Amino acid sequence: MQRGYTYIGLLVIVVILGLMLTVVSRVWTMTVQREREAQLLWVGHAYRNAIASYYVHGGQFPQSLQQLLQDDRSPVPLRHLRQLYPDPMTGAADWTLISDPTSQHIMGVASSSKATPIKRKGFELGDAVFADTDCYCSWQFVYWPRRFGAPLPSGVTLPPSTAPGPANPGPFIPGNTAPSGGQVTPGTTLPLPPPRPR
């Protein structure tokens, strides 16, 4: 009889330890995901800053991300980005490139991750459209020249559904720099979709 009680006690302890490990694992996973979210916002802003700088110095968007590292359009080459960073959510060089509707040059980047974000609100003004999105791929870091009074490059027109407005205010361009990371090559280039209905 005593052995039976001891056996049941051990089973209870094992079950409790298993539940505790499950909770710890979930908390750790959530913590890691939140850190990667913060890195995605940081790196996304860095790319958007670099695209803005490239545009301001030449009136056109870059044809590839590599041009952000070496801009030879002026007598003195410019470097708009320290290096090309991987997608923090996937750890890979698989960015989705957001192109303007006409020239297909790069206006921004987006994560290729289909995971659901933890962060649902509290974004900066220019990232307000990220709120309540269902996938990190909806976090599109796009530079909108017209938001800052700059003319669009020759031949580039934006449809009304993608123009900055109350439902799609366009980007906020902070002055921070991005953390270090690995090399990246351009991924799939997609046309800019209309804003998600609010």
Side-chain angles (χ1 to χ4, degrees), residues 9 11 14 28 59 69-70 77 97 100 103 131 137:
L11 286 179
V14 170
W28 173 253
L69 300 180
Q70 186 73 19
L97 304 182
D100 75 78
S103 72
C137 57

Side-chain angles (χ1 to χ4, degrees), residues 109-195:
V109 299
S111 174
S112 63
S113 172
K114 304 299 182 182
T116 302
I118 297 176
K119 187 178 178 68
R120 312 296 294 177
K121 59 182 180 179
F123 293 94
E124 295 176 346
L125 177 62
D127 296 334
V129 292
F130 296 174
D132 296 323
T133 50
D134 297 325
C135 136
Y136 288 114
C137 57
S138 297
W139 291 16
Q140 299 180 352
F141 301 91
V142 180
Y143 173 61
W144 298 94
R146 287 194 292 179
R147 178 175 172 82
F148 304 97
L152 287 171
S154 177
V156 174
T157 58
L158 298 179
S161 61
T162 61
N168 189 17
F172 167 76
I173 298 185
N176 59 346
T177 57
S180 59
Q183 289 293 325
V184 63
T185 56
T188 304
T189 300
L190 299 178
L192 190 67

Side-chain angles (χ1 to χ4, degrees), residues 1-181:
M1 182 66 67
Q2 184 66 31
R3 290 183 178 178
Y5 285 128
T6 301
Y7 179 71
I8 293 175
L10 289 174
L11 286 179
V12 170
I13 292 174
V14 170
V15 170
I16 292 175
L17 288 176
L19 292 174
M20 291 178 62
L21 288 174
T22 299
V23 171
V24 170
S25 175
R26 289 180 179 176
V27 171
W28 173 253
T29 299
M30 293 279 284
T31 300
V32 171
Q33 186 174 348
R34 288 184 187 277
E35 291 178 351
R36 289 179 178 176
E37 281 186 351
Q39 292 173 5
L40 176 59
L41 290 169
W42 189 288
V43 172
H45 289 164
Y47 273 110
R48 190 161 62 194
N49 289 346
I51 292 171
S53 177
Y54 186 96
Y55 181 92
V56 168
H57 284 87
Q60 62 183 7
F61 297 111
Q63 298 182 50
S64 68
L65 294 180
Q66 281 80 3
Q67 289 182 332
L68 300 176
L69 300 180
Q70 186 73 19
D71 183 358
D72 296 322
R73 295 174 299 167
S74 61
V76 178
L78 299 175
R79 190 177 184 88
H80 305 284
L81 192 66
R82 291 184 180 180
Q83 63 183 88
L84 298 178
Y85 305 103
D87 181 348
M89 302 311 302
T90 65
D94 56 357
W95 291 102
T96 295
L97 304 182
I98 310 300
S99 62
D100 75 78
T102 302
S103 72
Q104 300 304 309
H105 292 189
I106 300 170
M107 296 177 70
V109 299
S111 174
S112 63
S113 172
K114 304 299 182 182
T116 302
I118 297 176
K119 187 178 178 68
R120 312 296 294 177
K121 59 182 180 179
F123 293 94
E124 295 176 346
L125 177 62
D127 296 334
V129 292
F130 296 174
D132 296 323
T133 50
D134 297 325
C135 136
Y136 288 114
C137 57
S138 297
W139 291 16
Q140 299 180 352
F141 301 91
V142 180
Y143 173 61
W144 298 94
R146 287 194 292 179
R147 178 175 172 82
F148 304 97
L152 287 171
S154 177
V156 174
T157 58
L158 298 179
S161 61
T162 61
N168 189 17
F172 167 76
I173 298 185
N176 59 346
T177 57
S180 59

